[in-house]
Amino acid sequence: HTTGPSLNNDKLYKFTYSAEVYVDQVKASLQKSAGYRISSGVDVNLLWRNPDNDDDQLIKITINDVQVENVNERPAAKNIFKGKSPERIIGKEYLEALQRPIVLELVRGKVKTFYSYQNEPGFTQNIKRGLASLFQLQLHSGSSREVDISGKCNTTYHVRQDQVTKIKDLDSCEIERKGYTSHSRILDVGTKGTSATVYVLEDSFIKSIKAEENFVFVLNYRRKTGAKIVSKQRLELKSVQAGMGLIAAKQVASVIKTLDPNYVAMPLEAELVKSECKKCPSLSEHWKSIREHMHPDKLSKAEAAKSFLSFIQNIRKATKEEILKVIRSENKDFLPQVVDAVTSAQTPESLEAILEFLDFKDASTSILQERFLYACGFASHPSETLLKSLTEKFKGDVANEEIRETLVIVMGALIRKLCDRGGCKLPAVVEAKRLILNRLEKATKDDNVQMYLLALKNALLPEAIPVLLKYAESGEGPISSLAATALQRYDPSFLTKEVKETMNRIYHQTRKVHEKTVRTTAAAIILNSNPSYMEVKNILLSIGELPMEMNKYMLSMIQDILHFEMPSSKTVRQVLKDMRAHNYDRFSKMGSSSAYTGYITRGPDVSSTYSLDILYSGSGILRRSNMNIHVFDRNAELHALQVVIEAQGLESIIAATPDEGEENLDSFAGMSAILFDFQLRPVTFFQGYGDLMSKMLSATGDAMNVVKGLVLLTDFLQEIQLQSGPTASAEFLGGLAIDISGGMEFSLWYRESKTNVKNRIAVFVAGNAEVDSFFIKTGMETTLEAETALDFISTVQFSQYPFLVCMQMDRVESPFRTHMTKYERLPSGRRYTARRGKAAMLAGNEYPLHQENSNMCKKVFGSKSDSAGSWF
C-alpha cells in the first residue's frame, strides 16, 4: 500500500506539459492578455524502489521537444515568436540544459531530494523545479507544511476517489524574496494570491494535473487601478510504453552514482534569478533626460511627479558613487529635488551617499538639510539605520537651530512608523524615545519644550500621554495648545479616564484660566472620544457663559456633530431633549466663529472629508483657522492635510480690548501643517509687535512657503515565485508634487484681514506587473495622473460689528488621465505592445459651507471697493 503516486516497473510514461503566464488588468478576460506558453513533452520512468519500503522511490523526469508561443491567438504581425525556432528564442545552451533529466526521490508522495546538474542556469533549474513540484502529492485528506518551488508553505489536500485537490496558502510560504509596502494602509496596495492544483489519478498514478495560481494587486484608494498575474500548468498522460528496467541497489546514493556521478542534491525551493539590463542608461544619463521636469517652477505638474518616480527606481539600482556623482554635479535650483529623490529611494547606498554629502555643521545648506529631513519623515518603509543616523546627527553639532528642531520632529515620525511595524523594541527606537522624553523633562526654554512636544505629536507614544497632559494643563499659551493638539491626534482608544478628566478641567477652567484655543481643543477631544451624557450636558450648559466668539464656536461644533452624524451625535441628541441645555437663549448666540465638515468625495474605495473651523477673538481678529482633509476606507484613516493659522495679541493694532485671559499675549502669527500624518515644523509669520510693524511697513503681500517638494506616497514591491518557474514582480509607486503656501494679509485702512492657504498638488501613480522568464519579459504598466489646486481663503471686515466673515474653499478644474500598456519583449528587442488611455477633466468646485457663511460672503463682496489697502 502506498501513500503517494506509484509507478509500474519497466514502463515509460509519456506526458505533454504546458506552462502559461498571463498578465492583465484585474477584471479583464484572459483571452486578450499579454503572456506566453512554454510547452513540451515530459518522459517519466521509475529508476529504483526501496526493497524495504514501497513508498520510497526514485523517478527520472526528462523534458523534450520544447516550444514557445503566444498564449493567445495573434495575427502574424503581432506575434514576436513568428519564424523563430525554440533554440533562437531560448538560446542553445539554455535549451540543452532544460532537456537534461532530473531525478526525484519521492517518499510517501513528497519530494525528499531533488537531483540535478550543478552549473546549470538558475532559470532552467527553476522550470524543472516547477515541474518536479507537481509530482508532490498525498493520497489522503489533511494539511501539512510542505517544501516545493514556492518555499515552505501550508498545504491542504482534499481527496475524493481518483481526484485530489491541493490548495497552497501562498501567504504562509517562507522564501527569500524582496518586497516592501507603504506605511499607510490607504496609500498601499491590496494583494491576494491563490494556488490550487487538481490531480486525476488512474491505477494510483497521475493521469492529468491542472494547476493554477492567481495574483491580484489593486491600489487601495482606487481599486480600478491594478493588475493580475495568472500562471497555469498542465500535465497530461498521453501513453505508457515499455521502458528501462530498474537499477538494483540498496541505497539511493549508489543508484545516483550509477546513473550519472555529476548529479547533486539541490533544494527544491526556487533560486533567485535576475536578468541583467543590457542597454539601461546610467544614473547620470537618466537624470539628464528628466532634469528639465524637475525645475522648481514645474513642481506642481504631473510630469515632475512622474520623473521623480522613475528617478527613484534608478537610484535604487545605483551604487553610492553613482549617486554622489549626480548630487555633486547639480546646481542649487535642482539640488533640492535630487535630495528628495535620493532620500526617498531608501536604500543603504542612497542613505550613505546623502549623509556623506550633507554637512549639518554648515548653515548655508540648510534648505537641502530640510528637504532631506522632510523626505525622511515621509519615508514609506524607514529602516532602523535611518533613525539611528538622525539620532547621531541630533546629538552632534547642528549649525541651524530650525534644522535641529526639524531633526527631532522627524525622529518622532520615524519612531511611530517603526513602532507601527512592530519595531518598538529595536535599539535605535528605544534610544530615540528615551532621548526625546529625557530632554523634554530637562528642557527649560520654551522653544526647546515646543520642539520635543512636536516630536511627541508625531511619535504618538502611549507612554507620552501623562507628559502631554501635564503640559496641556499647566503649560503656558502655545505650549499648552501644542500639548492639547498632540493629544487630539491619538486614537480615542488611548484616551483614558485621566485624559478626559484633565480635558474637562481645562475646558471648564476649574484650576486655572486657559486660552480659547486650548479650551476648544479640549472640548473637541471630549466630544470625539465617546463622551458620557454628563460631559456633553456640562459642555452645552457652559454655552452662554463663555466669551462671545467662543460661545458661537462651541455652538457651531455641536451643530456640526449633529449634521455630520459624528459618533457622539446620539449622546448630543439625548442631552438636547433637556430644555435647560437646549433653549433659545443658548442657541441664538451671535458671532462669526464657525465649524463645518463636509465630503470632498464619497466613493466605493475611499471617501474624503474636509473640515474648516475658525475661531475669532471678541475684537474680530482671527485667533485660529484650521483646515483638515481626512481620507478613510472601511478599515483605516489617513490625515491627508491640516493647515492651521494662529494669531494672537493683535488687538492693540485696532485699539480693541483683548478677551479674558489673553490680556498679556505677545503679538504673533504663524502657520502649522500636517501632511500625510506627518507634522511639519511650524512657520512663523511674525513674532512680537516690532516684527509685526516692520512687516506691515515693508509688506510685499507674498505668501510664505510652508512645504514644497516631492513626496513618495505609494511604495509597494512584491517579488513572487511562480510555481511554473519564472519570477514575477508587482511594483506600484505613487508620487506627489506639492506646493503649499499661506499668508495673512492685513489692511488697517480698510479694516480688513485675509488669510489665504494655497495648495498646489500633482499626483502620478505607476504600476508595473511583470513576469521575467529570462528569454522573454511580459507585463503590464498602468499609470494615472492628476493635477489640482485647492484654495482656502477667509476674509474678515472689522469696520462694523458684528464683523463680516467670508470663507471660501475652491478647487480648480483638474485634468485626470489614465494609461495602460501591455507588452511582450524578447532580448533581441523584438516587442509587442498594446496601449489604451483615457483623459477627463474634473470640474472645478466651490465646496459648500453653512448657509450663514454664504449670506456673509454676499455682503463682503457686495461692500468691497476695488482698491486694495496696505497688505502684508
Side-chain angles (χ1 to χ4, degrees), residues 556-582:
S556 281
M557 194 194 277
I558 295 290
Q559 282 158 344
D560 194 41
I561 288 170
L562 293 172
H563 110 261
F564 204 69
E565 293 294 339
M566 291 177 194
S568 56
S569 58
K570 277 185 185 167
T571 315
V572 172
R573 281 199 173 88
Q574 277 179 306
V575 174
L576 289 177
K577 288 175 184 168
D578 182 339
M579 294 309 285
R580 278 172 305 171
H582 187 198

Side-chain angles (χ1 to χ4, degrees), residues 7 11-15 42-48 57-63 99-106 115 117 131-132 135 205 244-247 255-256 259-260 263:
L7 286 79
K11 294 282 185 229
L12 177 68
Y13 296 84
K14 290 188 96 56
F15 290 88
V42 171
D43 292 352
V44 181
N45 63 296
L46 185 68
L47 294 174
W48 171 87
Q57 47 195 351
L58 274 184
I59 62 170
K60 184 167 97 172
I61 301 174
T62 312
I63 294 174
Q99 296 181 350
R100 276 184 216 124
I102 52 169
V103 176
L104 302 182
E105 182 183 3
L106 287 176
Y115 295 97
Y117 296 98
L131 179 58
F135 284 88
F205 190 54
M244 285 168 52
L246 298 190
I247 298 171
V255 181
I256 296 293
L259 197 65
D260 188 338
Y263 271 125

Side-chain angles (χ1 to χ4, degrees), residues 639-664:
H639 198 169
L641 181 68
Q642 180 187 65
V643 182
V644 180
I645 293 181
E646 286 208 49
Q648 64 177 40
L650 303 185
E651 282 76 11
S652 52
I653 304 170
I654 58 168
T657 310
D659 290 352
E660 176 203 19
E662 300 185 0
E663 296 85 359
N664 304 317

Side-chain angles (χ1 to χ4, degrees), residues 425-680:
K425 301 230 164 37
L426 292 168
V429 179
V430 173
E431 191 197 347
K433 285 200 286 192
R434 194 185 303 125
L435 179 129
I436 292 168
L437 289 165
N438 288 353
R439 298 236 178 147
L440 175 58
E441 208 176 312
K442 295 180 184 136
T444 48
K445 282 168 64 187
D446 281 3
D447 286 355
N448 286 344
V449 172
Q450 279 175 272
M451 164 170 99
Y452 294 116
L453 286 176
L454 282 162
L456 291 179
K457 190 173 177 179
N458 271 330
L460 296 183
L461 300 169
E463 61 264 43
I465 289 177
V467 185
L468 294 171
L469 285 177
K470 181 187 95 177
Y471 281 104
E473 190 166 21
S474 54
E476 289 305 314
I479 288 174
S480 171
S481 184
L482 179 52
T485 57
L487 286 163
Q488 199 176 8
R489 291 196 70 202
Y490 281 83
D491 187 86
S493 59
F494 286 102
L495 302 179
T496 56
K497 186 166 159 257
E498 188 193 354
V499 175
K500 291 175 80 176
E501 282 171 358
T502 310
M503 292 303 115
N504 276 297
R505 285 199 301 272
I506 291 172
Y507 177 72
H508 296 292
Q509 306 196 107
T510 47
R511 287 193 180 165
K512 63 176 271 197
V513 171
H514 292 277
E515 289 177 30
K516 291 196 293 291
T517 48
V518 185
R519 293 180 71 188
T520 50
T521 304
I525 292 172
I526 297 164
L527 292 168
N528 280 337
S529 50
N530 194 18
S532 68
Y533 180 87
M534 278 317 291
E535 281 174 325
V536 174
K537 187 170 180 177
N538 286 335
I539 285 175
L540 275 162
L541 289 173
S542 70
I543 296 172
E545 314 300 322
L546 306 168
M548 190 185 70
E549 281 297 331
M550 191 175 160
N551 273 329
K552 180 67 178 163
Y553 181 84
M554 289 307 299
L555 265 179
S556 281
M557 194 194 277
I558 295 290
Q559 282 158 344
D560 194 41
I561 288 170
L562 293 172
H563 110 261
F564 204 69
E565 293 294 339
M566 291 177 194
S568 56
S569 58
K570 277 185 185 167
T571 315
V572 172
R573 281 199 173 88
Q574 277 179 306
V575 174
L576 289 177
K577 288 175 184 168
D578 182 339
M579 294 309 285
R580 278 172 305 171
H582 187 198
N583 55 50
Y584 178 77
D585 180 47
R586 220 177 286 292
F587 274 71
S588 61
K589 296 298 176 193
M590 298 283 284
S592 302
S593 300
S594 63
Y596 186 83
T597 306
Y599 278 102
I600 294 179
T601 55
R602 296 179 83 166
D605 308 326
V606 292
S607 296
S608 56
T609 59
Y610 64 94
S611 63
L612 287 173
D613 57 86
I614 265 196
L615 176 63
Y616 293 97
S617 63
S619 54
I621 292 179
L622 175 83
R623 199 64 181 81
R624 183 186 64 206
S625 89
N626 185 351
M627 176 183 96
N628 286 283
I629 294 177
H630 286 266
V631 183
F632 52 92
D633 64 12
R634 289 186 191 93
N635 311 308
E637 186 177 337
L638 173 68
H639 198 169
L641 181 68
Q642 180 187 65
V643 182
V644 180
I645 293 181
E646 286 208 49
Q648 64 177 40
L650 303 185
E651 282 76 11
S652 52
I653 304 170
I654 58 168
T657 310
D659 290 352
E660 176 203 19
E662 300 185 0
E663 296 85 359
N664 304 317
L665 292 181
D666 200 10
S667 299
F668 164 83
M671 181 152 152
S672 160
I674 290 174
L675 190 58
F676 298 104
D677 268 336
F678 167 42
Q679 166 73 56
L680 310 177

Side-chain angles (χ1 to χ4, degrees), residues 806-819:
C806 168
M807 292 188 293
Q808 294 157 279
M809 184 165 151
D810 300 343
R811 192 191 73 220
V812 299
E813 189 179 48
S814 317
F816 182 84
R817 292 180 284 273
T818 56
H819 289 279

Side-chain angles (χ1 to χ4, degrees), residues 198-370:
V198 178
Y199 295 82
V200 176
L201 307 177
E202 197 173 66
D203 300 333
S204 71
F205 190 54
I206 294 159
K207 187 183 178 190
S208 73
I209 304 175
K210 283 182 187 173
E212 185 172 319
E213 287 180 308
N214 282 276
F215 297 90
V216 172
F217 308 90
V218 289
L219 280 180
N220 287 342
Y221 50 93
R222 191 177 190 271
R223 300 183 82 82
K224 273 186 190 168
T225 302
K228 71 174 167 194
I229 297 170
V230 179
S231 162
K232 294 184 178 189
Q233 288 167 284
R234 194 173 240 168
L235 189 73
E236 284 188 29
L237 183 63
K238 284 297 168 205
S239 64
V240 182
Q241 302 173 3
M244 285 168 52
L246 298 190
I247 298 171
K250 280 269 186 218
Q251 302 293 330
V252 170
S254 49
V255 181
I256 296 293
K257 204 168 181 183
T258 309
L259 197 65
D260 188 338
N262 290 326
Y263 271 125
V264 287
M266 290 187 160
L268 186 56
E269 66 184 49
E271 60 189 276
L272 263 175
V273 183
K274 265 287 181 221
S275 55
E276 288 302 307
C277 187
K278 297 279 193 295
K279 294 174 187 168
C280 287
S282 70
L283 190 65
S284 300
E285 288 166 344
H286 179 249
W287 168 243
K288 279 179 193 138
S289 72
I290 59 164
R291 184 176 178 269
E292 218 22 66
H293 301 305
M294 308 285 261
H295 191 276
D297 297 342
K298 296 179 181 173
L299 278 194
S300 54
K301 297 280 175 232
E303 197 60 55
K306 179 183 180 178
S307 303
F308 169 64
L309 297 182
S310 68
F311 194 32
I312 287 174
Q313 281 176 307
N314 276 334
I315 295 168
R316 285 179 170 168
K317 297 172 198 151
T319 62
K320 176 182 157 185
E321 285 65 37
E322 289 173 304
I323 298 167
L324 277 167
K325 186 181 163 192
V326 172
I327 299 175
R328 288 181 173 143
S329 67
E330 208 33 272
N331 68 29
K332 68 177 185 359
D333 282 348
F334 289 91
L335 253 178
Q337 288 75 267
V338 175
V339 170
D340 285 341
V342 171
T343 313
S344 300
Q346 300 168 72
T347 63
E349 292 77 11
S350 64
L351 179 60
E352 279 176 36
I354 196 76
L355 287 174
E356 187 173 310
F357 173 71
L358 291 174
D359 179 6
F360 283 80
K361 294 177 186 142
D362 177 7
S364 68
T365 60
S366 60
I367 287 176
L368 299 178
Q369 294 164 34
E370 184 171 67

